[in-house]
Amino acid sequence: MAQTAHIVDKMTEFICPNCGTSNSPDQEFCQSCHANLAFRNTTEGSTDNAVPESEENQSPAEEGYPGFEDELIEVPEDNNNLDDLFKEETEKAEIDLNTFADSETGEEGAISDDSQYRDPLPDWLIDLTSEDVGKDEERVLKDPEIDEDEQGLNNLEKEFSAWLSEIENDDDSDIGEEEAKEPVEEIVDEPELEQVELPEWLEAMRPVELVAPPLRSRDEANELLEGRGPLAGIWGVLPSEPDSAREGEPKSASVVLQVSENNRVNADLLKGMLGEKWESKPLASSQVFASQDYIRWIIALILFAAIIWALTTSNQEQNPRSLNTPNEVVSVYNLINGLTVGDRVLVAFEYDPGLSPELDAAAAPIVDHLLLRGVYLTMVSTSPIGPLLGERFLTFTQVDHNLRTNRNYVNLGYIPASTAGLISFSQNPRRTLPFTIESEPAWGDANQKALLPLQGIYQVSDFALVVVIVDQPEVARAWIEQVLPYLQAGLERTPLVMVSSAQAEPLIRPYYEAIPKQIQGLVTGLAGGTSYTSLTRRDSLPLTYWEAFGTGLIIAALLITIGGIVNISISLFPRKINDEGEGSE
Amino acid sequence: MKTPVATGLAIGVGLVVLLGYFIPVGILSNLRQLLVEWAGILAAVALLVGIFNLYYVHVSKIRAGHEENFYSYVLVISLTATIILVGWFGPVHSVSRWIFNHIQVPIESSLMALLAVILVYMIIRMLRRRIDHLSIIFVITAVFMLITASFFLYEMPVLSEVRKWIIQVMAVAGARGILIGIVLGIIATGLRVLIGTDRPYSG
């Protein structure tokens, strides 16, 4: 019977709906979370039912409250007897409830009869009588503060339910941009709140909330209607694949920038500018292109007419024969003058046919001077067309000497591999170029002597002079860097001279200006050839070209000057008009 | 390292050739000379391979039936004719010389002559498109050099000295800087190849 009394006591307990802690009926606030328990009078029946079953069956002793350790119901270990025990206790509880109801109505005898079951109660519970409980309940009902709290709770519940219904309505319908703005406006329009003008930075934060995906309740998300398969039509079926893996068009988040009017004007202006740029513009009038073509034709005609006129009317006898000859040209002249009859000279033709008019004219007096000295020439080239240029050079510029191949000169042809070929030729010319350009053995063998121009030549330093006719600085540098060490390895150092085009002079001249000199002479372009001609005092190709060359330069300078002045005037004239127009505005 | 054999060969050959310069030992010098001769042979073969590749590419374009293959026809026909004629008669025969003297040299020389006209025209156009101190200095210098290089003013005392100063001081100073940069670049490239950092042969 003591157990029955305990259950009765439990029935009179009040379990906090907030934290689930059992509280005595006379407590106004929860002893654990201090929640207000005054509203239990109106919702007493429902409050007890709202408590979860698991929490309802939880014993106070398990909660760790003092005074309940000795009042635990001893549960038998045999689980089969649990049902019987539960039924028995339930029946006893019904009987005790009836008895308790009688005591509530004022039957003191019943209470006195039940007092025998209350011996094990704790001290604080012994002091509690049903009468006190009734008084407390009356006090709670009559207390105005408790009424206000109860009304406040009711209002809170109503607002909460209304808010939930709003969320459900929002979930059912798509949230558009205009709809998304409505709640904000409603909040602003509330009469209780003072209307203030939000700053721009705060307004700019709104799209972050507006574009956020609508919230879905957990129940709706979990209880999806299966649309296909054997489980079609059933709610809450666990998906076989995660939601993220399902096919479907992703929701497009609308991004609406909250911009000011000034920014909008600027954006429209930028849009207009970009739009204009993409528009196709009509082609410039063909008159402009035609005028450019005319100018090109006029320039070409003027230049060619002047050069042709100079070539046809030039008087070589009046050409300068005593130019101020540069030192590098004089050095070449002196070196050639120092050669003796029968010396072997190596001549490299390292230029392209495009520059052959300039370099032929520059090299012609030098080769002429060499042949006048009675030397034998050996021609090589690191360019595939160099040997043919050499043949052409001798054919067109040295006609007076009646040169015979392999007697006065020998053409050894093409040296492959440029730099490596030069090294190989410098180390062993006989193995590198064993044949002439006509495929004849150049160096002879045990039964045959070497060709006359190559007799006595075993290494490159055996040549008396090396002349390189070159139009590219890189090729000139390769000869200086790769061949020069072998030329200076002999007892008598073989000099190296260059005949270069005017465009290569700046990069070759440092080798001549160096101390000691890397190259012992330099003849540059048509001017150098003309200067050399003034030393040899022989009619040669440079004198034919010199007057036409000078006339062409003067005409070109005049054209550039006149055309430049005209173009500068045309360019400045519109600017002046624009400046005046802006000034008048 | 993709091609360890090629890298090892390149480094080994480079070291042998380099040591052959500094250590005048017979075996090193002979080995260096042999390797350099091989390089010349390979370069000559590479030139032939390049010619055949050019021929094959343009023949393929003609066979593919491209619309704009006129120049491929010109190249294939001229190359075939030149190889046949020069191969048959020899490189110094009159026929071969005629092809060279009357086709190749005039064409390339004409292009250079056109280049002179185009340069004059572009300098004039430059003053219309871009007028600043650099362009004006360039044009004045060009005009000055053109005038002083001609025979009319070639011997003028002051102008010829100024011209020589421009060529022999300013131009040479810039050229020396360029040459020093080239040499330093060559040394760096050689060292990179020798230590295997730069492998231009590995494709």
Side-chain angles (χ1 to χ4, degrees), chain A residues 14-24 27-37 55 58 60 63-66:
Chain A
F14 186 80
I15 298 173
C16 177
N18 188 26
C19 62
T21 304
S22 297
N23 295 282
S24 60
Q27 286 183 312
E28 296 180 1
F29 301 95
C30 177
Q31 59 182 349
S32 176
C33 64
H34 301 287
N36 195 344
L37 305 177
E55 294 180 0
Q58 194 173 14
E63 295 286 337
Y65 294 109

Side-chain angles (χ1 to χ4, degrees), chain A residues 292 295-296 299-300 303-304 323-324 328 352-357 384-385 388-389 391-392 395-396 409 414 416-417 420 423-424 427-428 431-432 437-438 477 481-482 486 505-507 509-511 513-514 527 531 546-547 549-551 553-554 556-557 559-561 563-565 567-568 570-571, chain B residues 21 29 32-34 36-37 39-41 43-44 47 91-92 96-97 100-102 104-105 108-109 112-114 116-121 123-129 131 136 139 142-143 145-147 149-155 161 163-164 167-168 171-172 174-176 178-179 182-183 186:
Chain A
Q292 303 302 325
I295 290 173
R296 276 196 287 264
I299 291 172
L303 279 175
F304 292 153
L323 285 175
N324 186 13
E328 59 270 18
D352 292 330
L355 289 172
S356 59
I385 56 177
L388 285 177
L389 279 172
E391 294 286 343
R392 180 180 180 276
T395 303
F396 283 95
Y409 74 96
Y414 167 58
I423 297 172
S424 178
Q427 292 173 348
N428 195 340
R431 290 186 60 177
T432 305
I437 195 173
E438 295 171 335
R477 185 169 53 80
E481 293 176 353
Q482 307 301 331
Y486 294 94
E505 181 189 2
L507 285 172
R509 180 170 287 277
Y511 294 105
E513 302 284 350
S531 300
W546 180 244
E547 189 172 339
F549 174 73
T551 304
L553 290 179
I554 291 292
L559 287 173
I560 291 171
T561 305
I565 291 171
N567 279 332
I568 289 174
I570 291 173
S571 301
Chain B
Y21 277 103
S29 298
R32 175 171 63 103
Q33 186 174 347
L34 179 66
V36 171
E37 287 176 1
I41 295 170
L47 179 63
V92 291
S96 304
R97 289 190 182 189
F100 182 75
N101 295 330
H102 295 86
Q104 186 170 359
V105 174
E108 293 196 24
S109 301
M112 293 300 295
L114 289 177
V117 176
I118 294 299
L119 283 176
V120 172
Y121 172 73
I123 290 174
I124 295 171
R125 288 283 297 169
M126 188 181 68
L127 289 176
R128 185 167 187 175
R129 291 172 176 263
I131 302 174
I136 291 173
V139 171
V143 170
M145 297 299 290
L146 288 173
I147 291 174
S150 63
F151 66 93
F152 298 110
L153 303 174
Y154 196 80
E155 296 295 320
E161 293 299 322
R163 179 178 176 275
K164 286 180 182 177
I167 292 175
Q168 298 179 6
V172 170
R176 282 182 189 272
I178 293 172
L179 290 173
I182 290 171
V183 171
I186 290 172

Side-chain angles (χ1 to χ4, degrees), chain B residues 155-197:
Chain B
E155 296 295 320
M156 290 287 289
V158 178
L159 292 179
S160 62
E161 293 299 322
V162 174
R163 179 178 176 275
K164 286 180 182 177
W165 182 81
I166 291 174
I167 292 175
Q168 298 179 6
V169 177
M170 297 186 68
V172 170
R176 282 182 189 272
I178 293 172
L179 290 173
I180 291 171
I182 290 171
V183 171
L184 291 176
I186 290 172
I187 292 173
T189 304
L191 287 176
R192 287 171 61 85
V193 172
L194 283 179
I195 64 177
T197 305

